Amino acid sequence: NAVRGLRPYQDPETGMIYQVVEQKEYPGNYLETSGSAMIAYALMKGARLGVLDRALGEDGSRILDGIRDTYLKKEEDGFHLHGICASAGLGKGPDPHNRQDRDGTARYYVSEAQMTDNQHGTGACMMAVSEQLRWKKKGESVCCREASYEGDASCYQKKGIYLCPSGTEQGDEGLSLRSGSADAGICSLPAPAV
């Protein structure tokens, strides 16, 4: 099916998808966050609803972990999500400059600017994180790998925020943010601020 057709185009290390999906070797091509996050969300939700195989949900979770490991960065003012294509499309641009370069070529797609914390990338990641949390809340273990630590390090020094079960060890009270030791920790993107 179409979902399995994505597998040959996934980056073997991160599971993410390239900006120009089928041309990973194209000069300037990069692993793109928003598209990868939308795929991660769709795979996890489809598996949770039973319309996709469970293994595809695991692939979605792996993609989200790859986004976190590759592009979620701790900076002086907090966490920031990188690797998001600012905008891309076909035909004359909707912008006031009436761009003529939106021709659908690989050259065009890799020329579009990358942004940090762009809404369509962060929004897609939040949707994917919500699916990861739903799987975890149901007691599924598919979503995240256990955290490993060397000594007593804070969470952001080990590639992410750690979501750990609150209440009992089984986590039947839900999930809460925790830093420091992650003996029962589960790696995930940080929860959105409210």
Side-chain angles (χ1 to χ4, degrees):
N1 66 29
V3 173
R4 292 192 193 285
L6 289 171
R7 283 187 168 162
Y9 302 110
Q10 286 182 271
D11 175 60
E13 287 183 38
T14 65
M16 293 177 68
I17 302 293
Y18 284 84
Q19 169 72 347
V20 181
V21 175
E22 80 288 0
Q23 296 184 39
K24 67 179 178 180
E25 302 297 327
Y26 190 86
N29 204 2
Y30 62 96
L31 297 171
E32 203 279 328
T33 298
S34 63
S36 295
M38 287 184 260
I39 292 167
Y41 169 76
L43 293 176
M44 287 186 283
K45 184 166 185 173
R48 179 177 57 80
L49 295 176
V51 295
L52 296 176
D53 294 336
R54 180 177 176 83
L56 291 169
E58 293 170 1
D59 284 349
S61 184
R62 183 173 154 257
I63 293 168
L64 185 59
D65 288 343
I67 292 168
R68 181 206 57 230
D69 294 347
T70 306
Y71 285 129
L72 184 66
K73 307 291 182 193
K74 172 72 172 160
E75 298 172 15
E76 285 184 30
D77 61 341
F79 286 95
H80 294 280
L81 189 60
H82 296 263
I84 304 167
C85 177
S87 178
L90 295 172
K92 294 180 180 179
D95 60 4
H97 307 292
N98 199 23
R99 292 177 46 193
Q100 303 295 312
D101 63 335
R102 296 161 47 119
D103 60 7
T105 62
R107 179 208 51 79
Y108 159 69
Y109 280 106
V110 299
S111 74
E112 283 289 4
Q114 292 182 50
M115 292 186 71
T116 300
D117 298 331
N118 185 282
Q119 294 88 342
H120 64 264
T122 56
C125 276
M126 287 190 292
M127 290 171 59
V129 167
S130 74
E131 277 304 313
Q132 240 185 16
L133 293 173
R134 288 183 82 169
W135 282 61
K136 198 62 204 166
K137 194 165 187 173
K138 286 175 55 178
E140 307 274 354
S141 60
V142 67
C143 293
C144 305
R145 59 185 175 267
E146 287 194 22
S148 61
Y149 277 94
E150 297 172 11
D152 185 25
S154 62
C155 58
Y156 61 84
Q157 293 171 321
K158 292 293 182 183
K159 298 185 180 177
I161 297 290
Y162 292 87
L163 293 171
C164 302
S166 62
T168 67
E169 284 187 22
Q170 291 79 27
D172 57 4
E173 297 296 319
L175 297 169
S176 62
L177 288 173
R178 185 171 108 187
S179 62
S181 171
D183 49 312
I186 297 144
C187 305
S188 188
L189 292 170
V194 278

